Amino acid sequence: MKIGPDTSPTTAISGSNPETIIVRGHDLVANLIGSISFTEHVWLLVVGAFPSESQRRILDATLVAIAEHGLVPSVQVSRMTLATAPEAFQGAVAAGLLGCGSVILGASQEAGKLFQEVLVAAGQEDDLRPAAQAVISRYRAEKRSLPGYGHPLHKERDPRAVRLLDLAREIGISGRYAQAALAVERVIPAVIGKDLVMNISSAIPSVLLDAGYPLLALRGVPILARTAGLIGHLLEEQNHPIGFLMSHAAAAAISYDGPAPAGFVANEN
């Protein structure tokens, strides 16, 4: 029984024979290895064409910006996985990536969809604030989270977001998506009743979408970047283990408050 739509059994990404490997129409050995950077290769793989210098710079900047941010949940689970299964390096990387969802790292693609809704609602209007307010009000009425705004640490301003927006202007790619992101930030206080500033997860889609990066591939950018950060943490975990220390700290921070037999006293962790 066939499941799914009828599609042509082809791919335009890569093909090979015993002598040649083709990637997006280019000879991997003759034209790509030693000739392009990994960032350029990522753009080629995803988009199907080489990036311009501005596109390369902004993609590279977003990868650098999101690769590392300390002992966040994805890093903790990755290091604790390696501590308990030191033979499973790839499993530890995968464990960290599985924690990349709509709250952490995955919010970039959702923010991109938000900005697209604002631009569709605005049409040809120069002032995007009315459209932003309408979209945010609808999100609020539907009790949907607002992706890409607010940060538990960077409450006044996420410096990474500021730098990405500045860089986009410097290299001449800042456009309607960045305007939409800023319009949302400006109308949030009136709709929600408090300030929520842009964080890295709204800056990444705003600059990449302005650069021509596809919306449906946005989630891959922070995942690709964070993979590099996880590899660094996992090497450190092998040389300077802290996985079990984090586990012990979690146990010490959480107290049991469920039912217990008479006289039971929880162990002091």
Side-chain angles (χ1 to χ4, degrees), residues 85-105:
E87 72 283 359
F89 192 97
Q90 74 280 12
V93 173
L97 294 180
L98 288 172
C100 302
S102 59
V103 176
I104 296 178
L105 293 180

Side-chain angles (χ1 to χ4, degrees), residues 162-219:
V162 174
R163 178 55 187 146
L164 287 181
L165 291 173
D166 286 346
L167 178 62
R169 285 189 288 267
E170 290 169 16
I171 61 180
I173 63 167
S174 183
R176 293 279 280 179
Y177 282 100
Q179 293 169 18
L182 291 169
V184 169
E185 183 182 65
R186 293 188 185 108
V187 303
I188 282 175
V191 177
I192 296 180
K194 62 179 178 179
D195 290 333
L196 291 175
V197 299
M198 288 180 64
N199 62 38
I200 188 66
S201 291
S202 55
I204 286 176
S206 69
V207 299
L208 284 180
L209 291 172
D210 275 336
Y213 192 86
L215 172 63
L216 293 179
L218 271 174
R219 188 166 295 171

Side-chain angles (χ1 to χ4, degrees), residues 6 22 28 34 43 55 66 69 81 96 118 163 190 199 201 207 220 244-245 252 257 266 268-269:
D6 289 325
I22 298 297
L28 175 67
W43 191 284
Q55 289 171 327
I66 197 64
H69 200 265
T81 298
V118 170
R163 178 55 187 146
N199 62 38
S201 291
V207 299
F244 284 117
L245 289 175
D257 67 352
E268 296 271 344
N269 291 301

Side-chain angles (χ1 to χ4, degrees), residues 62-76 79 100 103-105 150-161 164 198-201 204 222-233 236 242 246:
T62 60
L63 292 169
V64 172
I66 197 64
E68 180 56 39
H69 200 265
L71 294 172
V72 294
S74 60
V75 171
Q76 292 186 40
R79 293 186 74 139
C100 302
V103 176
I104 296 178
L105 293 180
H151 195 282
L153 177 62
H154 308 298
K155 296 183 183 299
E156 297 298 322
R157 182 66 59 183
D158 187 332
R160 301 166 299 173
L164 287 181
M198 288 180 64
N199 62 38
I200 188 66
S201 291
I204 286 176
I223 288 175
L224 175 63
R226 189 54 54 91
T227 298
L230 290 176
I231 291 171
H233 276 280
E236 184 182 70
I242 61 172
M246 290 189 291

